[in-house]
Amino acid sequence: MIKTIHIINGPNLNFLGRREPGIYGYDTLETILNELQLNFPSVCFHHFQSNYEGAIIDFLQTHYETIQALIINPGALAHYSIALLDALKAMKCPIIEVHLSNIYQRETFRELSITAKAAKGVITGLGKYSYFLAVNYLLKLNE
Ligand code: DQA
């Protein structure tokens, strides 16, 4: 039974709202997380954001036994971090990868997500709703 969902955001996602708003919108990460909590009051969310690949890997390794479900927006790490892919592959829980922007509509180097290989599914291009749909899916696993 999934009651707790961990959300990890990678590099530069702490800068949402200020960072290329034409692509990522004006919502800050805090606003998105608050909205998620309001929409899913029964879920206990834990959030971790880092601009450092190693910090994210350390976080995953520290919590790999206890994380029930994971939503990750790896940011640019999605496109090149085999180390993050390996860490995600060690996880026991369902993983959904999300992206705010549509990675297939942008530069060609964004079209490949290496980390997606560890994910059950990928939701890309729906802005903050990428996170919302990921939560919906994870809760469906309880049915
Ligand atoms: C992103 C897409 C990545 O290509 C980019 O490096 C990001 C954000 C997204 O949410 O759309 O940092 O993951």
Side-chain angles (χ1 to χ4, degrees), residues 11-13 19 24 73 75-76 79 98-101 103 106 110:
N12 297 306
L13 290 161
R19 170 192 186 202
Y24 299 113
N73 182 344
H79 312 303
V98 299
H99 296 279
L100 293 149
S101 64
I103 59 172
R106 301 181 62 194
R110 291 186 206 273

Side-chain angles (χ1 to χ4, degrees), residues 83-137:
L84 180 56
L85 168 64
D86 288 345
L88 289 169
K89 277 172 132 178
M91 301 301 288
K92 298 172 173 175
C93 64
I95 299 170
I96 308 299
E97 178 168 313
V98 299
H99 296 279
L100 293 149
S101 64
N102 181 346
I103 59 172
Y104 301 108
Q105 232 170 34
R106 301 181 62 194
E107 301 96 327
T108 45
F109 61 80
R110 291 186 206 273
E111 283 174 12
L112 174 69
S113 170
I114 289 174
T115 49
K117 281 201 180 292
K120 218 167 155 52
V122 180
I123 305 171
T124 185
L126 305 182
K128 64 185 175 189
Y129 299 109
S130 294
Y131 293 85
F132 283 61
L133 292 181
V135 175
N136 263 322
Y137 172 76

Side-chain angles (χ1 to χ4, degrees), residues 61-78:
Q61 289 183 357
T62 303
H63 300 287
Y64 95 109
E65 296 262 37
T66 49
I67 294 181
Q68 294 183 341
L70 177 65
I71 297 171
I72 184 164
N73 182 344
L77 294 173

